[in-house]
Amino acid sequence: MSMMTTESILSEMEACKQISIECQTTCIDTLKYCKSQGGKYMDMAMMSMLRDCAEMCMMCVNMINDGSEFMGNTCSLCAQICDRTALACEQMSNDATMMLCAAICRKCAESCNKMGLNSASYFRRSSQLAVDALLSR
C-alpha cells in the first residue's frame, strides 16, 4: 500500500467533512419534506433512516474534527447508514427530492467508506495525541 501524503490525508478528511455536512442537511430537509407531503411519505422506517443518517453524519464530522481514535469506525458505520438511507429514498424514484437525497447519501457513503478504510493505518494513536502531531511524523 502506498503511503498517502499528509496533504492528501487532510484533503480527504476535509472532503469527508464537507459531504457529511451536506448529507446531514439534506437528510433533515428531506425529513421535513416527507412530513409536509404526508401519506406514503410518512413511512416510519424511511423517516427513521433519514434521522439516523443525519445524526451519524454529524457524529462523523465531530469525530474527524476531534481526531478521535474512533473516527475510522464511525466513518465506516456512517457509510453503511448512508447506503441504507439511499436505498430507502430510492423506493420513491419518481420524486426528485427523494432522488437528490439518495444521490447525496451515496456520495457521502463513498467518502466515509474511504475515510474508514484509510484511517485504520493513519489514526492509531492514544487519545491525548493531536492529529497534527501524528501527521508531522
Side-chain angles (χ1 to χ4, degrees):
M1 187 172 93
S2 63
M3 280 298 292
M4 290 178 72
T5 64
T6 300
E7 291 76 25
S8 67
I9 296 166
L10 291 174
S11 72
E12 204 171 273
M13 287 168 75
E14 193 52 42
C16 188
K17 281 187 346 193
Q18 292 310 314
I19 188 63
S20 293
I21 291 166
E22 187 182 351
C23 190
Q24 191 239 5
T25 306
T26 303
C27 284
I28 289 170
D29 290 346
T30 305
L31 188 56
K32 288 177 187 164
Y33 171 77
C34 288
K35 287 178 181 173
S36 74
Q37 295 296 332
K40 65 178 180 171
Y41 287 88
M42 297 295 283
D43 177 70
M44 292 325 281
M46 183 177 64
M47 292 174 77
S48 291
M49 286 305 305
L50 287 165
R51 205 170 34 251
D52 288 350
C53 193
E55 290 283 340
M56 201 64 216
C57 285
M58 216 51 243
M59 184 179 285
C60 201
V61 171
N62 293 336
M63 293 284 181
I64 292 170
N65 282 338
D66 294 344
S68 170
E69 62 191 294
F70 301 107
M71 181 184 73
N73 291 346
T74 304
C75 289
S76 294
L77 181 57
C78 189
Q80 288 175 41
I81 294 175
C82 286
D83 272 333
R84 290 274 301 280
T85 305
L87 279 173
C89 291
E90 284 162 0
Q91 300 305 302
M92 310 185 97
S93 55
N94 57 343
D95 187 302
T97 300
M98 301 308 290
M99 292 310 284
L100 173 68
C101 186
I104 290 169
C105 284
R106 294 259 182 235
K107 212 170 130 186
C108 189
E110 194 181 318
S111 184
C112 283
N113 203 34
K114 259 199 286 189
M115 281 306 304
L117 294 173
N118 288 331
S119 68
S121 44
Y122 301 115
F123 296 99
R124 288 211 174 102
R125 60 172 183 77
S126 62
S127 51
Q128 66 268 19
L129 274 184
V131 172
D132 294 352
L134 177 77
L135 293 173
S136 65
R137 287 183 184 164

